[in-house]
Amino acid sequence: MTEYLKNYIDQITKRLAECTELSDADDILAEHKDKIAFMQHERIVHFLVTMMFAVIVSIFMCTMLVTDNGLLIVLVTMIIILLVFYIKHYYFLENTVQKMYRIYDDILAKQKQLRDVNK
C-alpha cells in the first residue's frame, strides 16, 4: 500500500503539471476524488484495527500484572511490536490523505486557471 500511494501521488502530481485542457483537469479531479474516498476508508479501517490492538494489549498488560504468568510477557511484547507497526502505517496513511487533500486543492486551482484562460 505504501508503494502504491507513493506512485499514485507522483503520477497525479505529474499529470496535473502537464494538464493543459479543462476536460483533462476534470478527469483528474474525478479520479482523485475516488482515490481520496478509498484512502479515507483504508485509514478508518487501520485506525479501528490499531485501537483494537491497543485495547487488547491493555487487557493483557492488566492480566499480566494480576497473574504471575511469564508467557503473558512474551504475548504482550509481540502485540506491542505489532502495534508499533500498525501505528507507523496509520501515521503514513494519515499524512498521505492530508497530502491528497492538498493535491485536491491544487486540482481545483488548476481548473480555475484553465477556465480563466479559456474566457
Side-chain angles (χ1 to χ4, degrees):
M1 180 60 69
T2 303
E3 194 64 33
Y4 172 78
L5 280 173
K6 287 179 181 178
N7 288 337
Y8 173 73
I9 295 292
D10 292 342
Q11 172 206 359
I12 202 74
T13 304
K14 182 180 177 185
R15 282 179 61 197
L16 185 60
E18 296 171 353
C19 179
T20 58
E21 298 291 326
L22 185 57
S23 62
D24 292 339
D26 292 340
D27 293 341
I28 292 170
L29 181 66
E31 176 187 339
H32 194 64
K33 285 170 87 173
D34 287 341
K35 294 289 185 182
I36 287 175
F38 293 150
M39 290 307 114
Q40 285 175 329
H41 180 264
E42 185 82 13
R43 184 178 62 174
I44 289 170
V45 168
H46 277 277
F47 175 75
L48 293 174
V49 169
T50 302
M51 289 301 106
M52 180 189 70
F53 271 95
V55 168
I56 289 171
V57 78
S58 298
I59 291 170
F60 280 126
M61 286 179 84
C62 289
T63 304
M64 185 178 69
L65 293 173
V66 173
T67 65
D68 191 26
N69 190 343
L71 290 177
L72 281 177
I73 294 172
V74 174
L75 183 62
V76 167
T77 303
M78 289 176 13
I79 295 173
I80 287 174
I81 291 169
L82 188 59
L83 185 61
V84 166
F85 285 106
Y86 268 111
I87 290 170
K88 181 180 178 275
H89 186 66
Y90 177 75
Y91 180 79
F92 170 78
L93 286 174
E94 181 69 31
N95 287 333
T96 303
V97 169
Q98 289 180 16
K99 188 181 293 185
M100 291 173 81
Y101 293 155
R102 288 189 293 276
I103 292 171
Y104 178 83
D105 292 340
D106 293 343
I107 295 169
L108 292 177
K110 183 73 163 193
Q111 282 182 321
K112 183 179 182 323
Q113 174 191 9
L114 291 172
R115 280 191 190 99
D116 291 344
V117 168
N118 291 334
K119 284 186 179 180

